[in-house]
Amino acid sequence: MSLYKNIDNWLDVRLGTHSLIEKELTGYLLPRNINAWYSLGSVLLFIFSLQIVTGILLLIYYVPDADKAFASVTMIMNRVPFGWLVRMCHVVGSNMMVLILLFHMLSVLFMGSYKSPRELNWLSGFILFNLVMAISLTGYLLPWSQLSYWATTVATNSVGAIPFIGSYLVEFLRGGKLVGPPTLGRFFALHVAVIPITIAAFVGIHLVLLQRIGVSTPPFGLKETKSNWRGDTFRYEEHPGGIPFFPNYLLQDMTSIMLYLALFFAVLFFDPYLFLPKDAFIPADPFLTPAHIKPEWYFLPNYQTLKLFPSEFLGLAVQGAAMTFLALLPFIDRGTEKHPLKRPLFMACSIGGILLWIGLAIWGHFS
Amino acid sequence: MDRTCHMGALFVISSLRTIFILTGLLFTMTTQASAAVKSEIVCVQCHGSQTGRFAKPVELWRGSIHAENGINCNHCHGGDPGDAENAMSPARGFLGTPVETGIPGFCGRCHVGVLKDYLGSKHGKNLGKGGPTCITCHGSHQVKKTTIELINEKNCSRCHSYEKPSQIKRAMTATEAKIVYIDSRLSDFKGKGIDTSAMEKSLFAVRNRFHTLFHELNVARINLQTAEIDKELEQQLQSIKRLDETEQKRKLVGVMAIASALLAALVLRLYVKSMD
């Protein structure tokens, strides 16, 4: 018996690996009409892992001290072997994570995968989306550049708008009256510990929910596109005669990851500064406000919306209402039809919403 | 400023969203997101709000290299920039406006080397005898970054013929162009996170040496010193070339990485197809 077989047998006796592999990999069947959009979840897991690895590497040299942070990032970019690559991977990766996350959410929306009984999958995913936004925001401060400093100053100022507790919350976030060294400490802890752990926990919840309920069937290429589940008892959505996750769909996942990497490398090596304006390379100066500071691309629609309304309260309220609607969508949209072309109201609203979002982002960029 | 305030509000929206969802909290207050901005000194506040000749210095100063580098009224004129009542009190060090012969000394408190160059030049030797002071060429409030363009027929021919200044300008133009080019490239590299501080310091020193020639009227000496400065600038140009080469190498690696990823995707796709 070969060494491999010996080890395989040894593990199977103790852990039941053969049955585990059968259940979770080779015997884990997916719908026959599954498409590439379903692999975006795996792409996101890959990106998150890459962010963790590059983040840990950056932690080796980064100093979370207001007097040393900028210099430490400059050192990483210029003196640490391949430091520029690690840092730019982390920066580009964070932006790409938001982009792919948006595509993942859109695919779930268009294929009706958020519908009952997957309300909790959608909610956990929506919370993950907000957590990714939060980790991006906290990471913004860490290089202690002009961009970091002023973005955080105005962001923490805005928390003051929350009734009753706003001013206390501002001081709590900043660790003082103004953004300063204590703020960096707080954001650092949030960015490298609290939020990543929370994201990991919600990823786990998201995957457990997926594993319990089963993969949804895409509505394309089928005669019957309505969900037949009545919601009276628990049901695992099985796909008899489907394709196995391993090796078939895992290869599709890997193909998508490779295509993602091609896009990632294109941005990384040819225009990583797409996400880093010049102010990102100037040390923070509390006495000098940069003239033209704009938010990251995914906040541009929010930025422009706030400018459109006569009061900031209205702008915030409208956006809050829109986000609340999106979070509660599976509870509002109770229809069983999943095919987007058979949901004209949904199609009109979603395409209109996407165009509005893109339009506001472009407007915000050039305004 | 308005944009910056709004941006702050939207940054926080993502964190507020969860609060909106979980508690349905209704906001009853408008956001007053104003960034902490350094307030202007009293000199600028008072003169800036006036009209006519009292407002002119502030208007001119705003477009100057001094304003760009945070050099305020009190840095030259003294006084107390934080106390409106005593801002122009001699007891608080207010100097006011210098007399014509005092101008080089007034500017020379900071520009020590330039003062020495000026006083040693023909221009400086004619101070008080119809010769130019600093502000004749550089202006009094709208002081611009010194470039070779300051030597021009309009400026020089106010006092004498342009023949000699044009010879000086010709001798210095190529070096000035190199300095401007290097400065612009360093700014580009800095905007990409490349540590240019050592090169900037070196260029600063070279540029200052070069600018001392702006008060030199001996063309032979200008040619000699310009040649030496050119040698130092050549080293900087070589450093820039190396940085450019590094960028090119990184792009080449990028092309290979992209090609590898695409090839891997293609192979995997074909493999999946073969399993159907």
Side-chain angles (χ1 to χ4, degrees):
Chain A
M1 198 180 275
S2 69
L3 179 65
Y4 166 75
K5 281 189 177 173
N6 275 332
I7 294 171
D8 180 43
N9 189 47
W10 190 88
L11 285 172
D12 187 42
V13 167
R14 282 152 187 86
L15 300 171
T17 45
H18 287 177
S19 59
L20 191 70
I21 288 168
E22 165 66 21
K23 185 177 173 236
E24 303 297 338
L25 298 172
T26 51
Y28 179 38
L29 300 179
L30 304 172
R32 283 214 73 81
N33 62 335
I34 197 164
N35 55 45
W37 291 99
Y38 277 65
S39 61
L40 288 183
S42 301
V43 176
L44 281 166
L45 267 179
F46 173 79
I47 300 173
F48 184 58
S49 310
L50 202 61
Q51 288 302 96
I52 291 175
V53 172
T54 52
I56 290 170
L57 289 174
L58 288 174
L59 272 177
I60 297 170
Y61 293 98
Y62 174 74
V63 185
D65 179 309
D67 291 331
K68 297 171 185 165
F70 186 83
S72 69
V73 174
T74 304
M75 189 189 78
I76 289 168
M77 289 283 285
N78 292 275
R79 292 193 181 82
V80 175
F82 298 104
W84 65 273
L85 185 64
V86 175
R87 200 247 170 148
M88 294 321 262
C89 274
H90 201 69
V91 172
V92 174
S94 70
N95 283 276
M96 295 295 249
M97 186 153 68
V98 176
L99 181 72
I100 303 295
L101 190 49
L102 286 172
F103 278 120
H104 184 47
M105 287 175 81
L106 284 177
S107 71
V108 169
L109 277 173
F110 278 93
M111 289 189 271
S113 303
Y114 60 91
K115 293 196 169 200
S116 185
R118 295 188 172 79
E119 295 94 335
L120 293 175
N121 295 57
W122 174 260
L123 264 181
S124 58
F126 190 83
I127 292 169
L128 275 170
F129 173 67
N130 283 282
L131 285 168
V132 167
M133 293 291 199
I135 204 166
S136 302
L137 179 67
T138 48
Y140 225 50
L141 179 67
L142 304 191
W144 205 248
S145 65
Q146 273 292 70
L147 188 69
S148 315
Y149 184 88
W150 289 102
T152 308
T153 295
V154 290
T156 46
N157 253 344
S158 305
V159 180
I162 298 173
F164 312 117
I165 56 163
S167 56
Y168 299 104
L169 204 54
V170 172
E171 208 165 322
F172 172 73
L173 280 172
R174 289 180 175 174
K177 297 278 182 200
L178 298 170
V179 170
T183 324
L184 183 64
R186 279 161 163 72
F187 275 48
F188 177 70
L190 285 170
H191 186 77
V192 306
V194 180
I195 304 176
I197 290 169
T198 316
I199 288 180
F202 271 93
V203 167
I205 292 169
H206 200 62
L207 293 176
V208 165
L209 288 168
L210 177 72
Q211 206 268 346
R212 285 295 296 157
I213 301 167
V215 175
S216 66
T217 309
F220 307 118
L222 301 173
K223 277 186 184 171
E224 180 54 61
T225 52
K226 283 186 178 177
S227 170
N228 56 10
W229 187 72
R230 300 285 167 218
D232 41 3
T233 52
F234 172 74
R235 187 201 67 169
Y236 174 79
E237 188 167 343
E238 287 185 84
H239 303 286
I243 60 165
F245 173 73
F246 182 84
N248 300 52
Y249 202 74
L250 188 66
L251 287 169
Q252 173 60 58
D253 278 344
M254 286 169 68
T255 309
S256 298
I257 288 170
M258 287 302 145
L259 287 174
Y260 162 76
L261 274 179
L263 176 68
F264 175 73
F265 288 144
V267 178
L268 181 71
F269 286 102
F270 288 91
D271 198 4
Y273 309 102
L274 199 63
F275 307 119
L276 288 170
K278 284 194 169 184
D279 283 326
F281 297 109
I282 299 170
D285 182 353
F287 300 109
L288 189 67
T289 318
H292 304 290
I293 193 161
K294 292 236 174 175
E296 284 168 295
W297 61 272
Y298 42 86
F299 282 125
L300 282 172
N302 310 65
Y303 164 74
Q304 190 57 30
T305 306
L306 283 175
K307 292 204 295 183
L308 289 179
F309 284 91
S311 85
E312 222 165 48
F313 164 69
L314 267 177
L316 281 172
V318 166
Q319 290 179 51
M323 288 303 284
T324 308
F325 175 78
L326 201 57
L328 301 179
L329 188 61
F331 302 97
I332 298 163
D333 179 7
R334 307 298 294 173
T336 52
E337 180 57 58
K338 289 173 72 182
H339 199 292
L341 295 178
K342 294 176 185 171
R343 292 187 289 154
L345 181 64
F346 166 83
M347 279 293 273
C349 291
S350 50
I351 291 176
I354 292 166
L355 290 176
L356 182 68
W357 192 87
I358 294 170
L360 284 168
I362 295 169
W363 194 359
H365 179 75
F366 290 105
S367 65
Chain B
M1 187 59 231
D2 190 44
R3 283 180 186 172
T4 322
C5 299
H6 283 293
M7 195 204 69
L10 63 93
F11 269 144
V12 82
I13 287 168
S14 62
S15 47
L16 288 181
R17 280 169 190 153
T18 315
I19 298 168
F20 265 113
I21 295 155
L22 298 178
T23 66
L25 190 67
L26 286 174
F27 284 83
T28 52
M29 291 163 64
T30 53
T31 307
Q32 299 294 324
S34 59
V37 180
K38 189 187 183 186
S39 59
E40 288 182 322
I41 58 170
V42 294
C43 327
V44 174
Q45 284 174 9
C46 186
H47 282 267
S49 64
Q50 295 181 37
T51 52
R53 71 184 184 93
F54 291 111
K56 203 70 184 167
V58 172
E59 196 186 312
L60 294 171
W61 167 81
R62 284 194 199 280
S64 70
I65 185 77
H66 279 169
E68 202 178 300
N69 289 318
I71 306 299
N72 295 324
C73 316
N74 57 297
H75 292 120
C76 299
H77 295 282
D80 189 342
D83 181 351
E85 276 186 34
N86 297 299
M88 295 169 74
S89 163
R92 301 276 177 95
F94 183 67
L95 299 171
T97 309
V99 294
E100 190 191 347
T101 50
I103 291 172
F106 193 80
C107 304
R109 287 171 300 162
C110 295
H111 304 283
V112 182
V114 181
L115 174 65
K116 195 178 152 202
D117 297 335
Y118 164 80
L119 291 175
S121 75
K122 212 167 183 177
H123 284 167
K125 282 174 182 157
N126 283 300
L127 177 66
K129 293 178 239 166
T133 68
C134 314
I135 66 167
T136 315
C137 302
H138 297 278
S140 57
H141 291 105
Q142 198 174 19
V143 184
K144 294 286 185 190
K145 194 172 184 176
T146 313
T147 69
I148 197 105
E149 294 312 313
L150 207 62
I151 305 172
N152 60 62
E153 190 160 10
K154 193 181 165 194
N155 259 352
C156 304
S157 56
R158 282 184 294 170
C159 303
H160 48 72
S161 102
Y162 186 58
E163 193 190 339
K164 197 168 182 186
S166 67
Q167 287 174 11
I168 293 170
K169 190 171 181 175
R170 268 199 302 277
M172 296 170 88
T173 299
T175 306
E176 170 80 357
K178 274 185 200 167
I179 289 175
V180 170
Y181 171 75
I182 293 169
D183 192 35
S184 141
R185 293 305 311 274
L186 290 187
S187 170
D188 288 343
F189 285 127
K190 195 176 180 179
K192 292 175 178 176
I194 295 167
D195 186 7
T196 53
S197 51
M199 287 176 76
E200 279 177 64
K201 272 182 199 163
S202 171
L203 183 67
F204 181 78
V206 173
R207 182 167 32 209
N208 280 352
R209 268 180 49 214
F210 180 62
H211 283 178
T212 62
L213 298 178
F214 281 29
H215 294 103
E216 175 63 64
L217 303 178
N218 181 330
V219 179
R221 199 176 297 156
I222 288 172
N223 280 331
L224 189 70
Q225 292 201 17
T226 302
E228 281 175 25
I229 286 169
D230 277 347
K231 273 185 199 165
E232 289 182 42
L233 291 176
E234 195 51 45
Q235 287 177 1
Q236 298 243 1
L237 287 169
Q238 286 302 319
S239 301
I240 286 173
K241 197 178 164 194
R242 281 195 291 276
L243 286 172
D244 281 335
E245 283 168 0
T246 305
E247 274 197 347
Q248 285 307 313
K249 276 181 199 164
R250 286 179 184 177
K251 281 183 179 164
L252 191 65
V253 171
V255 169
M256 289 193 282
I258 295 165
S260 306
L262 287 174
L263 186 67
L266 181 69
V267 170
L268 285 164
R269 183 73 195 145
L270 292 173
Y271 187 52
V272 171
K273 279 281 173 197
S274 71
M275 293 171 83
D276 288 344

